[in-house]
């Protein structure tokens, strides 16, 4: 068994299949072993794997490979289904295991022919080459609208035909079901069984779905199913050992293990899953009853509300995280002494007795900081919404509701009390894992997104995978209109209304992108006051998301939406709108990452269609206010409230987003380091996650 193999094109070195030191037949968890958290190793891998290839050389390589696939495909029309399937299995196995270019050409040509027969879709050159890069274990940057669904399906077919359990991982339930259904005819023609795992699939049936040749699933579900397997088989390292222990009653859970291992993953919206969601560890927990904790949390909030800034605490930028000062700690110590004295005097049972944390300094300080976060950091309609009497977290990057998630360490309960909701019990942690650690365990990891170049060094350092840019099938015809920087929110809203009216007057449809629910509602109110009909898509109105998005490209349509990144639903633009300039996208606020801005702008002018975009931001936008720093002060001193030249706006944008992304990257590194440290301690004690 070789430790490495030559890449299919360009001489890249790929991970061997299967990697050395992993006895597949005996190990219970078939996966790549953790390599540790070495900063120097991450830096070296990131530098080496993120080196860009010369564009001309990369284009020649892509064209040469695709030309061979197309030429071979012309000779396959006369094959019967049986002949095609037999040849596809043999070629797929050679291509996946050896990485030989010629085997890849044949495997892709055969699967491409099957897609033509079943779906009526003949994969374009970017889709063909993108599929091969996925099979080879790369991340690919493929522009919005270039056909990621078919690209992933072709690559998944090659993996599954090679006999490798394949996971196609998407960002939400809708996309997992939709993509599996759209490609079902192709999979059936090739004799492949397809499983689908999402929040609606019963827990007892999930092992059946993962047992299929390939499985479409969401990132959240696959990680939590993996953690459940780890908890159910804690301390067991082989299937034989698990069977013996179950026979002797030494394993409490009789639930069958769900996953067959982490073999081959194709991650859709890879930057969203691998980067944006990597700042928070995923925690498998068991709910506990709330009991009498409500009074304790109410007391915490009262104490936190009585504290004064900057006397007792300060809010540390850029995310205004509370930090206690010596005066604040002294105040808490005085309160703790008063409670002890009161309890000794009359035996009163207050919230301190219920929780038992006031007598321990670090515990009371932790909960007070959480209470300060609940009061001053987490904002309604931005970080969460109140839905049917419950606190529901809003995904910061996609604007989606996350009803099955909760904040840990008392924060969720404190926000519930703050909003007058029924309190839920704190959860008992059973297992935890970060996305970085989980996805790095796949024997072969690949993924795709429209925006990956900005994070190529980080993904290379953490996951040891190279990012490849796939050029679009047709050149972009997007028209970028001059950006505008306004002094405040009211002025910005007025400018947005004017821009929308101007685009409607020429016959374009308009998509207005916002960062938060509240921002979308503010702009909606401005459009309503101006008499402009429109539809709103945010965390409050997401039930008919696909239908709302499908209408966004129709004549006269204006859609106000929270961050469209990762929604994965195409916006079909009506012919009469295309004739008048296509879909017009308005970016109303810079995001913390320039990738998210590009994702929003990429909703228009797809596949060589006409389209336009304009950026309209204000100096009091959150990202500018928090991260502008000295650059903002210097430019304000020179240009005042505006108008600013484009180069000054570009300078401010780069400075603000650079500072925000640096902070987020540091947070991801801290999360990964903490996860590695915790796993090291658990391994030392003989436990697992």
């Amino acid at each position: 068994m070789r430790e490495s193999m030559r890449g299919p094109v360009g001489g890249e070195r790929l991970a061997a299949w299967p990697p050395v030191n992993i006895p597949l037949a005996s190990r219970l968890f078939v996966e790549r072993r953790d390599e540790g958290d070495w900063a120097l190793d991450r830096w070296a891998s990131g530098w080496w794997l993120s080196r860009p290839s010369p564009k001309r050389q990369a284009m020649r390589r892509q064209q040469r490979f695709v030309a061979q696939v197309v030429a071979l495909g012309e000779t396959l029309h006369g094959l019967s289904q049986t002949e095609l399937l037999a040849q596809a299995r043999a070629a797929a196995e050679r291509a996946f295991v050896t990485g030989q270019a010629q085997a890849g050409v044949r495997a892709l040509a055969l699967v491409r022919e099957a897609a033509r027969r079943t779906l009526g879709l003949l994969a374009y050159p970017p889709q063909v080459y993108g599929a091969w890069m996925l099979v080879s274990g790369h991340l690919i940057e493929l522009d919005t609208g270039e056909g990621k669904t078919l690209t992933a399906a072709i690559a998944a077919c090659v993996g599954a035909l090679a006999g490798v359990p394949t996971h196609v991982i998407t960002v939400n339930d809708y996309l997992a079901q939709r993509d599996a259904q759209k490609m079902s005819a192709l999979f059936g023609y090739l004799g492949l069984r397809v499983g689908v795992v999402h929040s609606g699939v019963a827990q007892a049936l999930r092992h059946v779905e993962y047992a299929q040749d390939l499985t479409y699933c969401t990132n959240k579900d696959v990680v939590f199913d993996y953690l459940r397997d780890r908890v159910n088989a804690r301390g067991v390292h082989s299937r034989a050992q698990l069977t013996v222990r179950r026979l002797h009653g030494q394993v409490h859970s009789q639930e069958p293990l769900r996953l067959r291992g982490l073999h081959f993953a194709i991650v859709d919206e890879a930057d969203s899953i691998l980067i944006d969601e990597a700042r928070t560890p995923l925690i498998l927990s068991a709910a506990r009853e709330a009991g009498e904790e409500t009074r304790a949390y109410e007391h915490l909030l009262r104490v936190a509300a009585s504290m004064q800034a900057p006397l007792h605490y300060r809010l540390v930028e850029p995310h205004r995280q509370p930090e206690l000062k010596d005066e604040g700690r002294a105040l808490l110590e005085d309160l703790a002494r008063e409670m002890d004295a009161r309890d000794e005097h009359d035996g009163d049972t207050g919230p301190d007795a219920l929780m038992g944390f006031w007598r321990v300094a670090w515990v009371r300080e932790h909960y007070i900081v959480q209470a300060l976060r609940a009061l001053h950091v987490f904002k309604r309609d931005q970080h969460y919404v109140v839905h049917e009497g419950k606190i529901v977290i809003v995904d910061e990057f996609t604007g989606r509701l996350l009803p099955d998630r909760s904040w840990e360490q008392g924060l969720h309960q404190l926000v519930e009390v703050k909003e007058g909701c029924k309190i839920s019990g704190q959860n008992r942690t059973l297992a935890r894992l970060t996305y970085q650690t989980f996805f790095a365990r796949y024997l072969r990891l690949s993924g795709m997104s429209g925006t990956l170049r900005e994070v190529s060094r980080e993904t290379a350092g953490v996951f040891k995978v190279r990012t490849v840019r796939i050029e679009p099938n047709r050149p972009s015809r997007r028209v970028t209109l001059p950006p505008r920087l306004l002094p405040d929110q009211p002025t910005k809203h007025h400018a947005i209304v004017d821009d929308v009216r101007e685009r409607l007057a020429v016959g374009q449809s308009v998509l207005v992108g916002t960062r938060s629910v509240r921002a979308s509602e503010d702009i909606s109110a401005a459009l309503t006051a101006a008499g402009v009909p429109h539809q709103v898509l945010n965390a409050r109105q997401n039930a008919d998301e696909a239908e709302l998005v499908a209408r966004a490209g129709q004549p006269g349509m204006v859609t106000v939406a929270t961050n469209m990144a990762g929604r994965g639903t195409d916006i079909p633009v009506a012919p009469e709108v295309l004739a008048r300039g296509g879909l017009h996208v308005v970016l109303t606020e810079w995001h913390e990452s320039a990738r998210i801005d590009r994702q929003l702008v990429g909703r228009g002018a797809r596949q060589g269609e006409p389209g336009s975009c304009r950026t309209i931001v204000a100096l009091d936008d959150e990202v500018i206010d928090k991260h502008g720093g000295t650059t903002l002060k210097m430019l304000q001193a020179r240009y005042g409230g505006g108008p600013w030249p484009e180069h000054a706006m570009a300078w401010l944008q780069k400075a603000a987003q650079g500072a925000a992304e640096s902070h987020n990257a540091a947070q991801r590194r801290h999360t990964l380091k903490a996860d590695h440290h915790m796993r090291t301690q658990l391994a030392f004690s003989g436990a697992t996650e």
Side-chain angles (χ1 to χ4, degrees), residues 8-38:
V9 283
E12 296 99 338
R13 296 182 67 84
L14 303 176
W17 185 265
V20 295
N21 300 326
I22 298 187
L24 298 181
S26 61
R27 284 190 61 82
L28 183 61
F29 297 102
V30 181
E31 60 190 37
R32 185 177 298 279
R33 289 173 178 161
D34 295 330
E35 298 181 5
D37 180 47
W38 301 99

Side-chain angles (χ1 to χ4, degrees), residues 662-679:
S662 295
H663 175 82
N664 292 337
Q667 197 170 7
R668 291 191 292 269
R669 289 193 298 271
H670 174 75
T671 300
L672 184 60
K673 185 176 181 179
D675 183 63
H676 174 69
H677 176 73
M678 179 172 292
R679 286 185 285 109

Side-chain angles (χ1 to χ4, degrees), residues 577-614:
V577 175
L578 291 175
R580 298 297 186 93
L583 179 68
H584 178 67
V585 179
V586 183
L587 176 67
T588 63
E589 192 171 352
W590 290 328
H591 294 81
E592 289 192 348
S593 172
R595 290 181 296 106
I596 313 299
D597 295 346
R598 286 209 292 135
Q599 286 172 348
L600 176 61
V601 169
R603 305 303 298 184
R606 301 165 50 255
Q607 295 183 336
E609 293 178 347
S612 59
C613 64
R614 187 194 295 274

Side-chain angles (χ1 to χ4, degrees), residues 60 179 246 252 319 342 369 429 441 556 662 685:
R60 283 202 304 266
D179 292 356
R246 279 179 170 168
H252 297 297
H319 292 288
R342 184 191 61 196
V369 168
T429 298
R441 290 179 178 178
S662 295
S685 64

Side-chain angles (χ1 to χ4, degrees), residues 227-301:
L227 287 176
R228 287 186 182 93
D229 282 351
R230 282 284 188 171
V231 170
N232 290 337
R234 192 179 296 276
V236 180
H237 302 289
S238 71
R239 296 187 181 275
Q241 186 182 10
L242 178 64
T243 302
V244 171
R245 290 197 177 187
R246 279 179 170 168
L247 288 173
H248 289 81
Q250 297 174 346
V251 177
H252 297 297
S253 175
Q254 295 300 313
E255 178 181 314
L257 297 185
R258 302 169 184 217
L259 279 73
R260 292 182 289 162
L262 305 181
H263 295 263
F264 176 39
I266 301 171
V267 183
D268 190 15
E269 298 298 341
D271 58 335
S272 176
I273 294 174
L274 302 180
I275 298 296
D276 296 334
E277 297 196 34
R279 289 186 291 171
T280 305
L282 291 103
I283 299 173
L284 180 65
S285 58
R288 295 185 296 196
E289 294 296 326
E292 297 183 340
E293 295 175 359
T294 302
R295 292 162 54 199
Y297 289 122
E298 290 174 347
H299 184 259
L300 281 167
L301 286 175

Side-chain angles (χ1 to χ4, degrees), residues 414-435:
L414 287 161
V415 175
E416 288 172 329
V417 173
K418 167 189 168 183
E419 297 293 348
C421 300
K422 181 180 178 181
I423 192 172
S424 59
Q426 277 202 63
N427 294 328
R428 178 171 60 92
T429 298
L430 301 177
R432 58 179 282 155
L433 196 66
T434 63
Y435 276 125

Side-chain angles (χ1 to χ4, degrees), residues 343-359:
D343 288 347
E344 292 175 1
H345 181 265
D346 56 17
D348 184 28
T349 305
D352 53 321
L354 294 175
M355 291 295 290
F357 52 66
W358 277 101
R359 295 181 178 87

